Amino acid sequence: MNSLKAAKGLLRKEIKQRVAGLTESEKQRQSKIVTDKLLSLEKFQFSKRVSVYLHMSDEIQTVAILKHLIKTKECFIPQYIGPKMKMVKLNSWQDYKELPETKWKIKQPADDDVRPDALDTGGLDLIIMPGLGFSADGDRLGRGKGYYDTYLQKCEKMGYKPYTVALAFNEQICESIPTDTHDKKLDLVLFPDS
């Protein structure tokens, strides 16, 4: 088990260095390609309830996706409280703009901003997943907290099977990702060269 942890740790470092080498304009260029791929996906177009992560500086930028979702679908975003993550509804662009910023420089509903979890109001059709690294066939390396894997387990327990799509820079794609039984495989990984 510890060798798996060590392998994941090393890979996280390596990927962070590769992504750190990207210029801002290159991140924007790749984000636009990946966003266009996502928006043209039939699975995405037919989904009514979609959750999207609010990007950090080393992730595919999701603001354009967020704007699209707010206009066309029911849009949900992560709310992290301690070790738990909920997916909560974002009601409008104004709602998004008014969210406070966390220490990671991403917007999120405050801890005392009580909103129901998507799983309590009808589930999710599609989850747009963040991560540090991915294999082209759907293995994912997260940041080590297990938020998304735990959430997907919760979805399953409640009888929901959302379609999972990861968005990645080319630099985040790896030959293989070390995984264990807790790591959920993704339905699709979108990256510029995919």
Side-chain angles (χ1 to χ4, degrees):
M1 185 63 200
N2 287 346
S3 61
L4 179 75
K5 207 173 180 154
K8 284 185 172 187
L10 279 172
L11 191 54
R12 281 190 182 102
K13 261 197 196 113
E14 186 190 310
I15 294 166
K16 278 181 178 168
Q17 283 174 333
R18 291 200 306 237
V19 173
L22 292 173
T23 62
E24 221 26 68
S25 63
E26 179 58 15
K27 285 181 192 172
Q28 286 171 358
R29 185 189 76 80
Q30 289 197 36
S31 293
K32 174 153 183 19
I33 295 169
V34 172
T35 297
D36 291 345
K37 285 185 182 208
L38 176 75
L39 299 186
S40 66
L41 265 191
E42 207 169 83
K43 206 71 165 164
F44 176 81
Q45 291 168 359
F46 287 116
S47 294
K48 292 180 172 54
R49 296 166 60 92
V50 178
S51 81
V52 63
Y53 65 91
L54 303 179
H55 71 273
M56 291 197 267
S57 65
D58 60 353
E59 294 172 329
I60 288 285
Q61 299 161 2
T62 57
V63 173
I65 298 165
L66 191 67
K67 284 181 172 170
H68 178 86
L69 285 174
I70 287 170
K71 282 191 213 134
T72 60
K73 303 178 185 298
E74 282 190 78
C75 175
F76 297 83
I77 57 167
Q79 180 182 33
Y80 304 95
I81 300 178
K84 288 194 164 54
M85 177 182 79
K86 293 191 330 187
M87 288 295 179
V88 298
K89 190 165 180 183
L90 198 59
N91 300 307
S92 64
W93 185 245
Q94 193 57 34
D95 187 12
Y96 167 74
K97 284 182 22 193
E98 288 169 3
L99 292 175
E101 220 173 61
T102 68
K103 63 178 185 231
W104 298 287
K105 299 275 176 255
I106 51 173
K107 289 178 169 286
Q108 174 188 299
D111 289 5
D112 59 1
D113 181 348
V114 180
R115 302 178 188 215
D117 188 303
L119 295 182
D120 300 327
T121 61
L124 290 164
D125 299 318
L126 189 141
I127 298 180
I128 299 168
M129 308 271 291
L132 271 179
F134 308 92
S135 66
D137 67 350
D139 285 324
R140 172 180 170 272
L141 179 69
R143 293 177 187 274
K145 298 267 194 264
Y147 286 120
Y148 278 84
D149 290 323
T150 305
Y151 194 79
L152 289 172
Q153 279 175 330
K154 197 174 161 189
C155 290
E156 274 174 33
K157 271 194 193 126
M158 294 179 72
Y160 295 116
K161 181 72 184 87
Y163 192 76
T164 51
V165 181
L167 310 180
F169 296 118
N170 289 327
E171 288 71 14
Q172 291 176 287
I173 303 300
C174 306
E175 268 306 295
S176 65
I177 298 278
T179 58
D180 65 20
T181 51
H182 301 293
D183 297 312
K184 300 276 184 209
K185 212 167 178 73
L186 303 164
D187 292 308
L188 184 65
V189 179
L190 293 177
F191 53 102
D193 293 348
S194 60

